[in-house]
Amino acid sequence: MQITFASYNIHKAVGLDRRRDPERILTVLREIDADVVALQEVDRRYGRRMAALPLDAIHGASDYVPVPLTMKPDSLGWHGNAILVRKGIELRDASAVPLPVLEPRGAVRADLELEGHRFRVVGMHLDLSGLRRRLQVRSVLAHVAECDAHIPTVLMGDLNEWSQHGGCFREFAKPWHVLAPGRSFPSRRPLAQLDRIIVSSEWGVVGTNVHHSPLSATGSDHLPVFATLKLPKK
């Protein structure tokens, strides 16, 4: 069974043209056509923290259902992090993942099931500080280890890590495998691989890539990344 996972920092749906355009982001998501999507910077930062992608727009213009993890009535995610799943994928459990923070960062977890296969997804947006990032990765890994069931897991998001192999990546020892889909930031001329997907040992990797299209090049300051993974037959 193959499942495509994507991660996208949507910059509150404000593109390089300085326009807030939720429909442009939804169109990019339709271009990627992933089964599970982790979004970062999905809510506005202050006040009511309104969702940059309105719920009615998601339900009406996509095949996705948001995992319910809102921190305020008008929000979509937890500290700007949200998970969208394709209709037909069942939600078994979900929670926010507490992180040590100096600035508003966060992570969210969803336990999902498709065709009898259970799997876990964590979406995250890590700190700008290197030391803080490593502490946050440790918190995410500790949270996953403390979950009731040990199931195939995918961690993904904007890690804010400029190093290709050092920094917070040192925290991902076996059985974790850090994937590098490609350069995703800044979107107009990508230089850094800030957006990553990390998988547990149960997954086979079919392929990874950065989604680069005319819309994704202007819709946010990050490009989306994705990975197609497979699980062995039961």
Side-chain angles (χ1 to χ4, degrees):
M1 184 181 68
Q2 292 189 5
I3 307 173
T4 299
F5 298 85
S7 177
Y8 191 13
N9 183 329
I10 68 170
H11 198 233
K12 304 175 185 64
V14 177
L16 300 188
D17 55 5
R18 299 185 181 180
R19 291 192 301 113
R20 192 184 305 277
D21 190 344
E23 178 55 37
R24 179 166 52 189
I25 297 297
L26 290 170
T27 301
V28 172
L29 294 180
R30 289 193 290 269
E31 290 176 351
I32 303 168
D33 196 29
D35 299 296
V36 181
V37 182
L39 298 175
Q40 302 88 47
E41 296 194 25
V42 76
D43 297 324
R44 304 187 194 187
R45 189 165 183 174
Y46 301 106
R48 293 161 56 192
R49 300 200 177 180
M50 295 178 63
L53 292 183
L55 284 173
D56 57 349
I58 295 173
H59 289 298
S62 76
D63 291 328
Y64 293 112
V65 176
V67 172
L69 286 162
T70 58
M71 60 187 299
K72 289 194 173 184
D74 298 319
S75 300
L76 177 60
W78 168 259
H79 285 300
N81 292 269
I83 296 174
L84 306 181
V85 299
R86 191 185 297 280
K87 295 174 183 176
I89 297 177
E90 299 180 65
L91 175 64
R92 294 305 185 194
D93 189 28
S95 72
V97 181
L99 295 183
V101 295
L102 288 177
E103 53 184 317
R105 301 290 183 186
V108 290
R109 171 184 60 85
D111 289 3
L112 307 169
E113 185 170 330
L114 178 62
E115 298 178 7
H117 292 268
R118 290 194 65 177
F119 57 98
R120 178 169 293 131
V121 176
V122 176
M124 53 189 170
H125 189 185
L126 301 188
D127 204 280
L128 296 174
S129 160
L131 174 60
R132 190 68 56 175
R133 279 196 300 273
R134 296 189 70 163
L135 294 175
Q136 290 171 345
V137 169
R138 292 174 195 173
S139 295
V140 169
L141 296 179
H143 176 88
V144 169
E146 291 166 3
C147 289
D148 291 338
H150 293 280
I151 54 179
T153 300
V154 176
L155 317 174
M156 54 183 173
D158 177 2
L159 272 59
N160 268 317
E161 179 60 74
W162 286 76
S163 171
Q164 293 193 29
H165 305 289
C168 70
F169 297 131
R170 294 192 180 97
E171 302 297 326
F172 296 107
K174 290 184 178 180
W176 299 104
H177 181 201
V178 179
L179 306 181
R183 297 175 180 177
S184 57
F185 179 84
S187 55
R188 191 179 297 279
R189 291 187 177 181
L191 299 173
Q193 302 182 63
L194 302 188
D195 303 279
R196 293 296 190 107
I197 298 173
I198 301 100
V199 300
S200 61
S201 59
E202 296 90 345
W203 296 99
V205 180
V206 178
T208 67
N209 213 334
V210 178
H211 179 73
H212 204 304
S213 70
L215 283 182
S216 68
T218 58
S220 170
D221 58 347
H222 285 248
L223 294 172
V225 300
F226 65 91
T228 300
L229 309 175
K230 63 181 179 180
L231 288 171
K233 293 182 179 180
K234 288 190 171 182

